[in-house]
Structure formats: C-alpha cells, structure tokens
Amino acid sequence: MKKAVEQLTIGRLARAAEVGIETIRYYQKLNLLPTPTPNGTTFRQYPLALVERIRFIKRSQDLGFTLGEIASLLTLEDGTDRAAIRKIANSRLGDINKRIVDLERMQSILTHLIHECEMTGRTKPCPIISAFTGGTTAH
C-alpha cells in the first residue's frame, strides 16, 4: 500500500515555509516552484516537500544569489555536478568581493567627509553636502 504524501493548501504551505502566498505565486511564475494542477478539490494541493525547496530559495537569496542563479542551482539540486555548483557559487563570491571593495571605498570617503565636516568652521558649507552636490571630490 502506497503511503499518502501530505498535501498543503497554498496558505498552509506559505505558513510552513514562513513566506507570503504572493511569494509562492511569484516563485511559481519564475518556475522555481511547480504549480499543481487542480485535482477536483476547491484548493490546489502542494506537497509538503516544497517547504524545503522554498527554504532553499530563501537561504540562497540571503547569501546574495539572484533568482536566476537559484534556478540554476535548483537544476543541480541532486548535488552531483559539483563543478557547475562551484562555478555558480564562485561567481556569487566574486560579486560579493567586488561589493566589499566598493563598500570599503564608500566607507573611506564618508569617514573622510565626516572628519572634514567636524573640522570645517561654521562659516563654510559642510563638505558632505558640497561633495553630494558636486562641489568637492573626496578621495
């Protein structure tokens, strides 16, 4: 005898995965989640296993993966094509490293501007505002 797979309505699936119903519908639109066909009941039924798939998507987004990259990872979810998985992860890591460089540059500029603002007398405009309006270029 075949064991029945627990089925959830979209609302129960959303609550179990800790996302909104619109998130599930959006993921379906992007083909990240399947859209079940109606089976004669009032509501479509979703397998409980989709909770883990949604959590995978959310964790991947938390690590900065785009939905396109997540779609690629989902095609590799059996984990056997490690080279393809590493390629996607390395690409994301490269983007993160570029962002870190950009954030450090912004941090340096703002630190300098804040210091200049503290040191500039009240008779001159604040260098922060001047930098944002194109009056001063900070390094």
Side-chain angles (χ1 to χ4, degrees):
M1 192 166 163
K2 201 173 182 182
K3 185 178 177 183
V5 176
E6 186 175 353
Q7 300 286 308
L8 305 172
T9 62
I10 193 169
R12 287 183 60 211
L13 176 63
R15 280 191 297 282
E18 299 177 352
V19 298
I21 291 171
E22 290 306 314
T23 298
I24 292 173
R25 289 191 176 125
Y26 182 63
Y27 290 167
Q28 288 173 325
K29 181 179 171 185
L30 298 176
N31 295 316
L32 297 173
L33 294 176
T35 302
T37 55
N39 61 359
T41 63
T42 308
F43 300 102
R44 292 176 192 238
Q45 298 292 310
Y46 295 80
L48 183 61
L50 287 184
V51 172
E52 286 305 311
R53 188 174 182 103
I54 294 167
R55 288 182 180 157
F56 174 89
I57 294 167
K58 295 307 287 178
R59 282 192 298 262
S60 299
Q61 285 181 300
D62 288 344
L63 289 173
F65 287 93
T66 67
L67 292 175
E69 291 167 332
I70 294 168
S72 296
L73 287 171
L74 286 169
T75 66
L76 302 165
E77 69 184 320
D78 68 359
T80 57
D81 191 349
R82 292 176 181 230
I85 295 167
R86 277 195 314 273
K87 182 178 178 183
I88 295 167
N90 274 321
S91 174
R92 173 59 32 217
L93 183 59
D95 291 342
I96 289 169
N97 286 331
K98 286 177 191 172
R99 278 187 174 152
I100 289 170
V101 168
D102 287 343
L103 288 169
E104 287 174 339
R105 180 186 54 78
M106 288 185 271
Q107 179 186 36
S108 174
I109 291 169
L110 281 174
T111 299
H112 172 75
L113 289 171
I114 290 168
H115 176 75
E116 289 296 312
C117 185
E118 289 172 349
M119 297 299 148
T120 303
R122 292 202 176 261
T123 58
K124 294 183 178 179
C126 175
I128 296 171
I129 301 300
S130 297
F132 294 165
T133 58
T136 307
T137 305
H139 300 57

